[in-house]
Each structure stands twice: as C-alpha cells, then as structure tokens.
Amino acid sequence: MSDSKPFNEEKDTCGMVCLKYLLCVFNFIFILTGCGVFVVGIWILVQKADYLSLLASSTFAATAIILIITGVVVMATAILGCFSVYKEHKGLLRLYFMLLLIIFLLVTIAGVLAFIYQQQLSDELKWHLNNIMVENYNQPGQESVTQSVDKLQQEFHCCGSVNSTDWERSLYVQSSSAEGRKVPDSCCKTKTERCGIRTHPSNIYREVMGMIFTCCLYRSIKSDPY
C-alpha cells in the first residue's frame, strides 16, 4: 500500500482513535501558541516602534519579524498536523513530525543563546542608551530620539541609563536650552514645565532605565504581552 493511501487496518482500533484525538488537542494548543507568538511580533512592531530608535542595532528590530515568521510557521505546522491526522496520511505525518523536531531544536537553540547573551545585551543597551542621552537628546534632527527617551522614562518610571546623574554629561543639560534643568522633565514623577530643575528623590524617578528597558524587551520577546 502506498503512502498516499490511508492505513485502514489501524484506523478503527481504540488506540488509534485516542491517538487521533490527542494529536488534535495538541495541534489546537500548538495553533494557539503560534497565534500568541505572531501577536507578540505584531505587538512589538506596532506598540513599541517608538523605542526602536533607541536600540543599538537593527538586529533587535528584526526579532519582531522573526517572531511573526515563527508564529506563521508554527500555525502552518499545526494545521498540517491536523490534516495529516484526519486523512491518516503516513507521508504527511512524517513531514509533520520532522517539522516539529526542527521547531523544537530551533526553540532550544534560541533559548540557550538568549540565556548566554542576556548580560551582554543588557550591557550594550545601557551603554547605547547612555550615549544617546549624552549626545542626541534634544539635539537638532533628533526629535524622534528625544520623544522616545521621554516616553520611555515616563512609561517605566525611570531616569537615566544607570541613574539620574547620567544626565550631568548630557549636551542638552549643559546647554542654555535646558534653562537650568538638571534632568529632562520626563524624569519627574509629576511632569510639569521645568520640573527637572529639582533632582530630589521625592521629585524624580530613581529607577534604572537600562535595566528596565532590557527586562521589558526580554519579556516582550519571550512572552505574550497580554
């Protein structure tokens, strides 16, 4: 009997019926997982697009594209599994299990690499954010960077890459346009005009931007934002 024909001699057994239902349930969960990964990728591109200008390279932005592609591949594999189980097609079942093995290996490798390079990513982000604040914040032609930094500090209640003293070296703070501000107004717990003049802990956030941003990005890549 060729692979293109159903294997009828097994399809009526109790074990085969149970296996078919089990695989259908597994593939349904697999489809939901693929949808989740796909949604995370879209979420990063749409909701966190403002932060992409703060990243050290386009590699991090490409992560969202990779998540979207991965989600599509996972959903397609699950649909293939459902179809092959329904048709009891041996050739398609072999292809399905081969794709499952490849996906498992890729996820394992990605997880290991993420664990190994997590600290390197954190250090690179802190260094890059520090340079942005010192050289680019509120400078001509850097409006998008300025808006991204302000939004980041307000949204995550932080001030500076390491701490608020990072702003002391900023070209903006040292210029006359700062009007006496020691930190941007976006560092303030209650944002008002020129509130950045006063750097008392009761007035400005003390959390570390680099650490918060790294954790946020890492969680966005690994889990569903909802």
Side-chain angles (χ1 to χ4, degrees):
M1 182 181 296
S2 64
D3 287 346
S4 60
K5 296 181 180 179
F7 36 101
N8 297 316
E9 66 275 7
E10 296 181 0
K11 73 175 184 178
D12 293 326
T13 65
C14 180
M16 188 61 184
V17 171
C18 292
L19 180 61
K20 287 174 65 175
Y21 279 112
L22 182 63
L23 284 174
C24 286
V25 172
F26 172 78
N27 282 314
F28 178 73
I29 297 173
F30 209 40
I31 290 175
L32 293 180
T33 302
C35 288
V37 173
F38 180 81
V39 169
V40 169
I42 296 294
W43 178 76
I44 292 174
L45 284 181
V46 175
Q47 296 295 327
K48 302 302 177 182
D50 292 340
Y51 299 147
L52 296 182
S53 60
L54 303 180
L55 297 174
S57 71
S58 59
T59 303
F60 303 112
T63 302
I65 304 297
I66 294 174
L67 286 175
I68 293 173
I69 295 173
T70 301
V72 172
V73 171
V74 168
M75 287 188 287
T77 301
I79 292 172
L80 173 64
C82 289
F83 180 78
S84 59
V85 170
Y86 176 75
K87 291 294 185 179
E88 299 180 358
H89 195 294
K90 288 185 177 180
L92 290 178
L93 281 171
R94 291 193 191 102
L95 176 61
Y96 167 66
F97 285 113
M98 187 180 301
L99 290 174
L100 280 183
L101 178 61
I102 293 173
I103 291 173
F104 174 76
L105 291 176
L106 290 176
V107 170
T108 302
I109 293 172
V112 171
L113 291 177
F115 178 79
I116 293 174
Y117 292 105
Q118 182 179 4
Q119 186 59 45
Q120 180 180 333
L121 171 62
S122 176
D123 294 341
E124 183 178 352
L125 281 173
K126 289 178 184 178
W127 177 83
H128 189 69
L129 285 170
N130 210 305
N131 281 349
I132 283 179
M133 291 186 302
V134 170
E135 300 175 4
N136 296 41
Y137 184 84
N138 206 38
Q139 299 302 304
Q142 299 294 333
E143 290 78 11
S144 63
V145 170
T146 302
Q147 293 173 3
S148 296
V149 171
D150 286 338
K151 181 178 179 181
L152 183 66
Q153 293 191 141
Q154 280 288 295
E155 183 173 346
F156 296 107
H157 298 171
C158 55
C159 184
S161 177
V162 177
N163 53 54
S164 59
T165 61
D166 294 334
W167 288 106
E168 294 176 358
R169 300 184 297 109
S170 170
L171 296 177
Y172 163 67
V173 169
Q174 295 174 3
S175 68
S176 58
S177 62
E179 300 179 338
R181 294 179 178 86
K182 296 179 181 178
V183 296
D185 293 341
S186 58
C187 281
C188 300
K189 295 179 180 178
T190 302
K191 186 179 178 182
T192 57
E193 185 66 23
R194 298 187 66 190
C195 63
I197 294 176
R198 183 169 172 265
T199 58
H200 191 272
S202 63
N203 184 50
I204 65 172
Y205 296 116
R206 311 299 292 183
E207 284 81 0
V208 180
M209 180 196 294
M211 182 180 299
I212 293 174
F213 190 36
T214 302
C215 292
C216 174
L217 179 66
Y218 190 67
R219 286 198 304 267
S220 297
I221 293 174
K222 289 186 66 179
S223 63
D224 192 323
Y226 304 107

